[in-house]
Every structure is written in C-alpha cells, then in structure tokens.
Amino acid sequence: ALKAWQPARDRQLARLERLARDGRQHAELSRQSALLAQQLERTAAKRQELLDTARADGEEALRRLHRQYLRRQELLGELRQDELAIRTLVGDAGMKPLDERLASVTGGELEEERTRLSEQRDALRERLEACREAKSRKRFEIERLAEGGDHADKLQQAEERRTELRRLMKRWAVVSMCGTLFAQTKRLYEHEKQPSVMQRASRYFEQVTSGRFTRMIAPLGEQRVLAEKANGELLDASALSRGTAEQMYLCIRFALADEYAASGVRLPLVIDDLFVNFDDERLGYGMELLQTVSEGRQLLLFTCHKHVLDAYVSRFSAASVRYLSRKA
C-alpha cells in the first residue's frame, strides 16, 4: 500500500509545485501588465502633449508637421550654406552693408538689379573675348617683330637699360642707408644727447605743465624748439598756446641760470611781473617752479597784481614780502 501511495504523493507534490510556479508566473505577469498599463498611460499622455504642443488634431496632422519640420531643417541648412558662400565673397565687413541693402529694397528692385548685372556680365564677357583677340594679334605682332633685323638692337638697348638700372639701384641703396643712419644719429642726439641746458629746461617744463609735456627738443641744425607731449607728439613753439609758450621760454631762462650757477657764477634772479599773462592753474605751477629754482640762490620777484602776490604767499613765507609805494 505504501509503495502504491508513494507515486500518488509524488504526483500530488509535482502538481502543487506546478501550481506554485503558475502562481508566481501569474503574479509576474500581473506586475508586468500593471507596468505596461502605466507605460501606456504615459505614452498616451505624451502623445496628447505632443498633439497639444503641435496644435494637431490627429496623428496624420502630426506626421505632416514632422515632414514640414524636416523640410524646414533642410532649407535652413541650404540657407546657412548660402550665407557662408556670400560671406566668403563679400567678407565679414561687407555683410552689414549687404543686409542693410537687402532690407531697404523690394523683390522687384532686386530682380531689376539682377537683370542689369546679367547684362553687364554679358558685356564684360564680350569685352573679355575682344581682349583675347587683341592679345592674340599683339602676340603675332611681337613674333613678327622678333623675326625682324632690329630686334637684336632693341634687346641690346634693353639690357643696357637694365644694367644702368641695377647700378642706380645700388647707389640708391647706399644713399638710402646713409640717410637712415643720419636720421637715426640725429634722433639719438635730439633725444639723448641734448645740451644740459635743454635737459634742465625739459625737467622744468614737465613740472610746470604737470606732465602734459615731457621735454623740449632742439632739432639738430635748426633754429627752433619743439615741445614733446606725453603721447610722443611733437609741437613747434608757434603751435603752442600763449601761456604754454611763455612757460617754455621761462623754463629755458631758468635752465640758463642753472647753467651759469653750475659754472660757479651764482647770480640772483630778478623777475618783474613774469606771470601776468598766466591763468590760475599755470600761475600755481609757476610758483612751484619758483620754489625749485630759488633753492640755493636769491630771488627777487616784482609784481603789481594781487593774485600774483596771493599765489606767492601761498607757497613762500609772508615775511619775504615787501610792499613798495608808488612814490618810492
């Protein structure tokens, strides 16, 4: 009985195992079905979103819009290629005028201009053909002349002219190099080897102009003085304003006094209303320059203008001021 019952038990266990496996498969299929349902809902929502975004009333309309989009992308690619070709022809600088020109004309005007340019192109082609024919005739004439008896004489003359030209070019090269060296030497002298008077005057001039002018230059072999601005520009004294020119001449005078003092002759400076034509700014810089110049020498400044006296007192001791009456 036991042996007869055992196969039945095995079949029952196998059946239970199949039932358990079928249950698991059913649960897995149920889970996958739920996931597919969710995906289907999301897909439907995405489809509806695409339809709403594209403002399409169906899938066929959406496909039509997609085809239009692809065509638009194709046309945009052709447009970019055309723009690149135009930019290559006219350059970056010519794009803005071309855009302005296109914006200011109509399609009919552009068509008229295209017709006119086509006619000009045809005319140029005809002219080019005529030039080619003329070139052929000239070449034939040159060959005919080359076969003539005087061709050798012409070649000899041409060679003599070339020899003379080479000789003149060598001479020009020497003269040009000499001119360049002379100019460099002159510039070196004017910028680095100026007399001590001009060097002193340049320092004073830079101080009195508050750095607007850096120095003065006396060109070699010329009877004039140039003022160099901070940006390197050179101005002739005649091109300066009256106040700046007076500042320049004042600095030269003080530099001459310093030169005499350096040689052992230290004379007092007597100044009579030197700043009468100076404005307030130049007057202030002038008084600062007097402070520099008055170090180590006696300074006598005469004036009948109160603003000059006030500027003097603001920088020098009031005890050094003496008032003289008109009677005195």
Side-chain angles (χ1 to χ4, degrees), residues 108-124:
E109 293 175 346
L110 288 175
E111 183 63 26
E112 293 177 359
E113 186 173 357
R114 187 188 69 81
T115 303
R116 180 179 58 81
L117 292 176
S118 297
E119 294 174 353
Q120 290 182 358
R121 180 195 60 190
D122 296 337
L124 289 175

Side-chain angles (χ1 to χ4, degrees), residues 2 221 260 323:
L2 183 59
Y260 277 109
Y323 297 92

Side-chain angles (χ1 to χ4, degrees), residues 23 54 85 106 143 168 189 256 276:
T106 61
E143 292 176 355
L168 293 176
Y189 172 81
L256 287 172
V276 66

Side-chain angles (χ1 to χ4, degrees), residues 1 34 41 55 86 114 154 158 198 200 244 262 277 283 288:
E41 291 178 0
R55 297 180 181 180
I86 294 175
R114 187 188 69 81
K154 299 297 184 182
M198 295 303 298
R200 294 174 187 268
T244 305
N277 293 321
L283 180 58
E288 292 180 2

Side-chain angles (χ1 to χ4, degrees), residues 155-301:
L155 290 178
Q156 180 65 26
Q157 293 178 6
E159 186 62 30
E160 292 176 355
R161 295 294 186 271
R162 293 192 187 95
T163 303
E164 180 67 15
L165 179 61
R166 285 193 290 268
R167 185 184 66 82
L168 293 176
M169 289 177 61
K170 291 180 180 179
R171 182 179 177 184
W172 173 84
V174 174
V175 174
S176 178
M177 182 177 294
C178 291
T180 302
L181 293 176
F182 285 147
Q184 291 179 353
T185 303
K186 180 182 177 182
R187 186 165 53 253
L188 178 64
Y189 172 81
E190 292 173 353
H191 287 77
E192 300 181 7
K193 304 297 182 181
Q194 288 280 345
S196 57
V197 173
M198 295 303 298
Q199 294 179 3
R200 294 174 187 268
S202 296
R203 290 194 295 269
Y204 289 155
F205 194 46
E206 183 178 9
Q207 177 183 353
V208 79
T209 59
S210 186
R212 290 186 298 110
F213 292 88
T214 56
R215 60 179 170 178
M216 292 182 287
I217 299 175
L220 184 64
E222 301 180 21
Q223 298 297 323
R224 61 174 182 155
V225 178
L226 302 178
E228 182 177 357
K229 299 180 70 174
N231 59 3
E233 181 183 0
L234 294 176
L235 297 178
D236 191 86
S238 60
L240 301 176
S241 63
R242 180 179 178 182
T244 305
E246 290 186 358
Q247 287 177 320
M248 173 187 286
Y249 299 139
L250 175 64
C251 293
I252 295 176
R253 294 174 188 173
F254 287 159
L256 287 172
D258 289 343
E259 189 70 15
Y260 277 109
S263 63
V265 182
R266 188 174 296 275
L267 299 175
L269 292 178
V270 181
I271 303 174
D272 185 11
D273 259 339
L274 183 64
F275 306 106
V276 66
N277 293 321
F278 282 23
D279 55 20
D280 293 340
E281 182 182 5
R282 289 191 174 94
L283 180 58
Y285 292 137
M287 289 300 172
E288 292 180 2
L289 180 60
L290 282 185
Q291 285 183 310
T292 302
V293 174
S294 64
E295 297 176 357
R297 63 164 52 85
Q298 185 180 10
L299 176 65
L300 300 177
L301 174 62

Side-chain angles (χ1 to χ4, degrees), residues 133-152 154-155:
E133 294 178 358
K135 180 181 178 181
S136 299
R137 290 194 299 270
K138 295 297 183 183
R139 182 182 293 111
F140 174 75
E141 185 176 356
I142 290 173
E143 292 176 355
R144 183 177 59 81
L145 292 174
E147 295 175 356
D150 59 346
H151 181 64
K154 299 297 184 182
L155 290 178

